[in-house]
Amino acid sequence: MEDPIEKLARYFKEFPGIGERQAKRFVYFLLHKNPSYVKELGDNINSLKNLIHQCPSCFLFFRGDSDQLCEVCKNPKTDKTSLLIIEKDADYENIKKSKNYSGMYFILGGLAPIVTKETPSFLRLKELLNTIETRAKNDKLKEIIIALSLNPQGEHTDMYLREQISHLQDRYKFKVVSLGRGLSTGTELEYSDGETIKNALLNRQ
Ligand SMILES: [Zn+2]
């Protein structure tokens, strides 16, 4: 039978940014904690998938039923004429905190790799095109804001998306702008402060 310490460490090693040594440290941390802490941690992990679901329209994680739309998509105050494309959930948190955007979101789920010509499977390209078409037909979509990190892969994905949505843009005449141009080179949205994001939103082009 596999050593329980090694076994648990293997799970932690799959976490983003966690290596062998850190994974082991997590296991020993838990061994030092009292049993109620470990039990509560386990319970919280177990209930996560039951309580949190992904919105079928924007792909944000939210608390609610699996067949429902999230708070942003459901809220009548949300500006349905604007759609902001971001890479991941953490970017959403940051843009929300900057309090300067009241439109819809779309979580792309990754960036397009520069080397391959194929559509990476983690990119929600088909879903994005569907959402854009629905919004253009039903909500008179006026503007798409591409807000990806300002690094080579982010810029490559920006161009790639513009290409992919150009036929919809011709048909429905919405504007496509990039948030990245208001940020300095190398900026990651996830680590930008509210003021930086606010300025980037105001200076989008
Ligand atoms: Zn949503």
Side-chain angles (χ1 to χ4, degrees), residues 55-60 62 69-74 104-105:
C55 175
S57 174
C58 69
F59 293 90
L60 269 173
F62 73 106
L69 292 174
C70 73
E71 287 307 315
V72 182
C73 291
K74 251 188 345 203
M104 313 278 297
Y105 292 84

Side-chain angles (χ1 to χ4, degrees), residues 175-188:
K175 215 164 60 171
V176 180
V177 299
S178 298
L179 187 67
R181 288 172 196 159
L183 298 166
S184 51
T185 307
T187 305
E188 294 233 11

Side-chain angles (χ1 to χ4, degrees), residues 6 16 19 27 30 41 46 70 83 139 142 163 170 174 185:
E6 297 290 335
V27 179
L30 291 175
L41 175 67
N46 277 329
C70 73
L83 182 74
D139 302 311
K142 279 197 209 118
E163 247 171 63
D170 290 344
F174 49 76
T185 307

Side-chain angles (χ1 to χ4, degrees), residues 7-19:
K7 189 174 176 183
L8 187 55
R10 253 197 309 117
Y11 283 90
F12 285 132
K13 248 180 74 184
E14 286 188 34
F15 282 42
I18 299 303

